[in-house]
Amino acid sequence: MLFQTETNVLESVTNGDLSKLVPVATSDEFGVIATNTNKMIHGLRDRIRMLTRLNVAKEVQENLLPNKAPDFLNLDISGVSLYCEEVGGDYYDYFKFSENKIGVALTDSSGHGVGAGLHMTTIRAFFRYGVEDYQGPGKLMQTVNKHLTRDSYETGRFTTVFFAEIDMENHLIKWIRAGHEPALLFIPSTGEFHKLIESGMAFGVDKDAQIKEHEINGWESGTILMIYSDGLKESRNDEGEMYGEDRIINVIKTNSKESAKTIENELIEDRKNFCGSLPIEDDITIVTIKFL
């Protein structure tokens, strides 16, 4: 009878029913098995509750990212985030300042998982607060860094940032890089790439950190600006080799006449082929901007 009871409960667990426990009626081997079975069921219940909460967090975080690229004057824009866990620390966003001016941000919080995901939501909130009174990239970045440092300095968490303001009327790009992976600028007439490498300190470390704006005057049709987090370049295959910047450049150059979305898809597919069946080890975010 004890054996049959144990079997019935285990069959219920196999079918996904965790509502039953095994009565501990004896202190012999059956009692030990019953006790351990009940511990297992309690553990499974806790894990299911945790997974349910993580799925809710994932759904919430997905709604914090842009659900589509902006339809903006003579720009073809595409963005995507791939997280290595249910939630992640990468964030990207678009800000329309006027009919001729748009901002693009990409940030990468230290670590990954739930902690980085919570940090990401804080960064998003400060960006959304800062753009309400937008007075240029430098001022916005100072606001975000000041509030982020106040909230996260004691935790040791920080975030890297790349921000670009694109002024279509004056053909001007103002950009700021704070500890982030350098963006790539592809010039179609020459086939050359420029790395936007000038850097500042990551946010969340020093509220008074100097933030410098840099400018690009003019662009030609077909120019491509790609901003990405380091999870892309640092992806590894089963031999430990990194995906690297050269492969990113090759994909952009090979597909330079295609749409921003196609370039993005080709890059994701190329990375996947390089890494094989290995899972994503770090969050990956890509924003591709093509000037038409």
Side-chain angles (χ1 to χ4, degrees), residues 131-229:
V131 299
E132 290 295 320
D133 183 32
Y134 185 73
Q135 299 176 33
K139 180 66 175 177
L140 173 61
M141 296 300 101
Q142 287 173 356
T143 299
V144 173
N145 181 49
K146 179 180 71 175
H147 291 296
L148 189 64
T149 303
R150 179 197 64 197
D151 281 9
S152 64
Y153 180 78
E154 296 296 331
T155 69
R157 288 194 175 274
F158 61 89
T159 186
T160 65
V161 178
F162 194 99
F163 180 84
E165 175 200 278
I166 303 173
D167 185 339
M168 300 299 292
E169 183 177 9
N170 298 304
H171 282 242
L172 183 66
I173 303 173
K174 295 181 180 179
W175 60 276
I176 290 172
R177 175 178 171 242
H180 198 79
E181 194 67 33
L184 296 173
L185 189 71
F186 173 70
I187 313 300
S189 62
T190 62
E192 294 178 339
F193 281 83
H194 298 300
K195 293 173 64 174
L196 307 188
I197 199 167
E198 288 82 356
S199 187
M201 185 180 295
F203 287 3
V205 179
D206 179 3
K207 65 180 180 63
D208 298 316
Q210 280 195 327
I211 296 174
K212 295 182 179 179
E213 289 185 11
H214 308 279
E215 293 186 358
I216 298 171
N217 289 288
W219 55 77
E220 59 186 66
S221 178
T223 295
I224 297 169
L225 174 63
M226 179 172 285
I227 312 166
Y228 58 92
S229 59

Side-chain angles (χ1 to χ4, degrees), residues 259-274:
S259 68
K261 186 64 178 178
T262 298
I263 296 170
E264 174 190 289
N265 289 339
E266 290 296 325
L267 188 54
I268 292 172
E269 185 66 21
D270 192 63
R271 189 216 69 88
K272 183 179 178 181
N273 292 336
F274 174 80

Side-chain angles (χ1 to χ4, degrees), residues 54-127:
L54 283 174
N55 285 331
V56 171
K58 178 183 179 182
E59 181 180 347
V60 169
Q61 189 173 51
E62 286 175 347
N63 289 329
L64 295 178
L65 297 174
N67 57 13
K68 63 178 182 178
D71 184 11
F72 198 77
L73 186 68
N74 290 324
L75 289 180
D76 178 17
I77 305 176
S78 185
V80 66
S81 282
L82 306 173
Y83 292 147
C84 61
E85 297 185 19
E86 284 80 3
V87 293
D90 282 9
Y91 161 66
Y92 73 97
D93 215 340
Y94 315 114
F95 309 101
K96 184 177 179 180
F97 301 124
S98 71
E99 292 302 316
N100 298 301
K101 189 180 292 184
I102 189 172
V104 179
L106 197 158
T107 75
D108 181 0
S109 295
S110 56
H112 44 78
V114 175
L118 291 172
H119 201 234
M120 169 269 195
T121 61
T122 302
I123 294 160
R124 180 186 184 274
F126 292 145
F127 263 98

